Amino acid sequence: MIMDKLPHPSAPSLLRMQHLRMVGLLVGVMLVSGGAGWWLSRSDNSGQSIATPVSAVDPIPVTTRSPVSRL
């Protein structure tokens, strides 16, 4: 009679298998999307630099101040 009240031994393993399947699916989606993003960013550059050079003809005015100590 006690055997009837015990949980089925495969119930935890099925739940664990579902969790492992979900984690595997999420990891696979992350790997595919990361690889696609890397591939697209690599092919868009086509050897050009991302940074644009600053022209030396148009200087930027800068004002500096020294810190005031309150001792």
Side-chain angles (χ1 to χ4, degrees):
M1 299 302 169
I2 295 175
M3 295 295 282
D4 293 337
K5 294 181 181 180
L6 293 176
H8 193 272
S10 65
S13 66
L14 286 177
L15 185 61
R16 188 174 306 146
M17 189 63 127
Q18 287 175 349
H19 285 291
L20 285 175
R21 189 176 297 153
M22 182 62 71
V23 168
L25 179 68
L26 288 174
V27 168
V29 167
M30 288 171 47
L31 285 174
V32 168
S33 64
W38 173 78
W39 181 263
L40 291 173
S41 69
R42 190 178 70 98
S43 63
D44 274 349
N45 280 344
S46 67
Q48 296 177 356
S49 174
I50 295 175
T52 57
V54 177
S55 173
V57 177
D58 299 327
I60 300 171
V62 176
T63 304
T64 58
R65 294 185 185 191
S66 60
V68 177
S69 64
R70 295 184 181 201
L71 293 177

